[in-house]
Structure formats: structure tokens, C-alpha cells
Amino acid sequence: MIIAVIAIAGFIWHEARTKQPMMPLRLFVDRERLGGYIARFFYLGAMMSMWFLTPQIMQTQLHFTPLQAGLGFFPLTIVSFIVAVQVAKLADRFGNTQILIIGITLTVIGMFAISFFSAQVGYTVGIALPMILMGIGQGLTLSPLTVAGVANTLPEDSGAASGVVNMVHQIGGSVGMAFVVAASATVKTEIASYHLAMLTATALLIGTLIAVIGLIGPTLKKIA
């Protein structure tokens, strides 16, 4: 972690002084873009944690095979796809910010609900129904977050802004998942560890919502 912090600080120092930076620091001046980056960081950290830990809990607590655990994600995947193809129309009608707030809120509710999973509750109520909520939320969230991440960019900065979106996507997922797994490892039993992990992921999603409300604000950006 210390090496990573030093490396990032050195990269920022270099980018602030070079004439042709790979990542112009002016990208982070715009509040909407900054909010899109921060929100994406937290959102992917939460979702990657759920994607990583839930197949394991399905196999150990419900005795699913690896294939069954993979198929167990269909409620999230199918619903997310159906919703995602409607996002452009919805954003055109209601605005990018409203869609983001609704999508992240649904993801928060779904993540909080899945934190109560147990073998006694079962797959349908404990996992599938929360996944449907998260699928709707994910479908409504990711595309508008991309729009926010490249909003108001100069033509010469458009490629860099898109690159930062992808960078935040990858780093947010890895850092967030590492944080959630490390926090949940402090609990001895597997099911209690999963509960704590999903509650921690819920907290990350709340951070996403705060970033959207506080930085992106009530703008009505539309998806072209």
C-alpha cells in the first residue's frame, strides 16, 4: 500500500508538470466528472465484492455446483441487460442525475437485503430477489456514470476522460473488493463474514449515492 501511494503521488506530480500529460489534472476540476469518478470507484468496489463472494456462499451454504452458482446470477444479469437497453430513453425523459439516484438507491436496497442471506432463507428470497433489485440498479447506473465521467470535456481531453473512467472502474473494483474481504475476514464464521461483507459493500454504495448527490448534483444530463 505504501509503494502504491508513493507511485500514485509520483504519477500525479509528473502529470502536473509535463506539457503533454497522459491524464490532464484539469479533468478533475469539473464537479460532474469528479463525482462520476468517485461514484464509479465506490460502486465497482461494492459490486465486485458481491460478485466475488456470493458464488462462494451459494456453494458452501446451499451446496450449489460451480455451474449452478454461475446460473444463480441470471436474475441480476438478465434484468440488468433489459434495463440497460432502456436507459437512453429514460435519461432523455427524466435526466441523468435522477436515473443515477434511483439506480444506486435500488442497488443499496438489494445489497442490504442480500446481507441477510442464510441457508434457512434460501436462494429465492435470500439471493434471487435482492439480485433483481441490484440488476435494475446496475442497469440504471453504469451507463449514466460513464456519461458523468466524460461530461463537459474539451475535444482534446475526451480520450483521456474515457481512460480515467476505465481506470477508476478497474481500480475501484480491486481496491473495494480487497477492503471488503479484509474487513469481513475479522469474523470467524463464514456466514457472519458474508453478512459483514455485504453490509460493508452497502456502505460503499451509500458513498456512491453521496458522491452523486453532492458532486454531480441535480443536473439533467442526457445520453446522446
Side-chain angles (χ1 to χ4, degrees):
M1 288 296 294
I2 294 173
I3 294 173
V5 170
I6 294 173
I8 291 172
F11 176 72
I12 294 173
W13 181 85
H14 178 270
E15 294 297 281
R17 284 159 177 79
T18 186
K19 292 182 179 180
Q20 294 183 323
M22 183 168 60
M23 186 185 72
L25 298 185
R26 58 180 173 270
L27 290 174
F28 301 93
V29 174
D30 184 86
R31 289 171 61 89
E32 185 171 1
R33 286 198 302 270
L34 180 60
Y37 298 149
I38 294 174
R40 197 178 196 93
F41 181 91
F42 285 123
Y43 193 87
L44 265 295
M47 294 305 292
M48 284 291 290
S49 302
M50 191 278 296
W51 296 334
F52 176 68
L53 294 171
T54 302
Q56 299 178 45
I57 210 71
M58 283 194 280
Q59 293 176 71
T60 57
Q61 296 295 316
L62 298 176
H63 307 293
F64 281 16
T65 65
L67 177 60
Q68 289 173 321
L71 294 175
F73 271 77
F74 269 20
L76 187 154
T77 306
I78 294 173
V79 171
S80 180
F81 173 79
I82 293 172
V83 173
V85 297
Q86 303 298 322
V87 166
K89 295 179 181 178
L90 293 171
D92 187 60
R93 181 176 179 181
F94 300 106
N96 207 48
T97 303
Q98 282 85 339
I99 296 300
L100 274 173
I101 292 173
I102 293 170
I104 296 168
T105 299
L106 289 174
T107 312
V108 169
I109 296 171
M111 191 71 75
F112 183 68
I114 208 172
S115 70
F116 292 95
F117 165 78
S118 68
Q120 292 72 30
V121 173
Y123 168 77
T124 301
V125 175
I127 293 179
L129 291 179
M131 276 189 176
I132 290 174
L133 288 174
M134 284 188 277
I136 298 172
Q138 178 179 296
L140 291 173
T141 300
L142 290 180
S143 180
L145 277 182
T146 300
V147 171
V150 297
N152 310 316
T153 54
L154 298 171
E156 59 268 27
D157 291 339
S158 58
S162 178
V164 173
V165 168
N166 288 318
M167 178 270 291
V168 171
H169 189 104
Q170 300 299 328
I171 293 180
S174 58
V175 172
M177 185 172 70
F179 174 76
V180 170
V181 171
S184 63
T186 59
V187 181
K188 293 182 179 180
T189 64
E190 182 183 40
I191 191 65
S193 176
Y194 181 76
H195 292 166
L196 179 58
M198 295 303 98
L199 288 173
T200 306
T202 302
L204 293 179
L205 289 173
I206 292 173
T208 303
L209 190 59
I210 292 171
V212 168
I213 294 173
L215 290 172
I216 297 178
T219 55
L220 297 176
K221 298 296 181 183
K222 299 178 180 180
I223 297 179

